[in-house]
Amino acid sequence: MIADMLEADGATVEMHRAGMDFPVDASVYDLIFLGTFTWDMGATPDEVKDFVLEVGYKPDNVAVFGTGDTQFGGDDLFCRAVDKLARFYGSRWPGLKIEQSPRGSQEQRVEDWLKGVLRDVKSLAG
């Protein structure tokens, strides 16, 4: 969904599947969108932790988003991995936290968040 919206905005998008694809050179990207789910009562998945280690430093251009399920742990644990990663990277953008399989108003939240990130990036570049 995010990749489609970025491409519609004219961006070139490369997708990397954490834990499956070869490590990336994060320094070649203008903006990195890091997506995660939350695992086991608020934990960041091992695949995402491995990705962070593979990058080897903290880029300052990371926007974090992720899915969760409020039925497992309630609001206190909902998308906690998003909060942890956004804090770790010192992201200038708030993390986007949505339920799994976003629909309706959740899709609008994704669109609004992405527009905010892109608006900020374009103002920084201009």
Side-chain angles (χ1 to χ4, degrees), residues 3 12-13 16 20 22 29 32 36 46 48-49 56 59 63 68-69 77-78 83 86 92 109 113 115 117-118 122 124:
T12 300
V13 175
H16 175 82
M20 299 178 84
F22 289 108
Y29 298 102
I32 298 169
T36 186
D46 289 340
V48 177
K49 290 179 184 178
D69 194 331
L77 299 178
F78 180 67
D83 295 333
R92 65 186 76 167
R109 287 187 62 218
W113 176 81
K115 283 180 181 179
V117 171
L118 293 178
K122 289 174 183 176
L124 291 172

Side-chain angles (χ1 to χ4, degrees), residues 21-81:
D21 294 337
F22 289 108
V24 298
D25 177 2
S27 67
V28 302
Y29 298 102
D30 295 326
L31 185 57
I32 298 169
F33 288 91
L34 180 57
T36 186
F37 58 93
T38 296
W39 188 249
D40 192 33
M41 302 303 288
T44 303
D46 289 340
E47 298 90 339
V48 177
K49 290 179 184 178
D50 291 344
F51 172 80
V52 169
L53 290 173
E54 289 169 359
V55 170
Y57 71 104
K58 293 181 184 182
D60 63 358
N61 59 343
V62 177
V64 182
F65 66 95
T67 61
D69 194 331
T70 52
Q71 73 177 341
F72 299 110
D75 291 338
D76 291 340
L77 299 178
F78 180 67
C79 292
R80 185 177 270 175

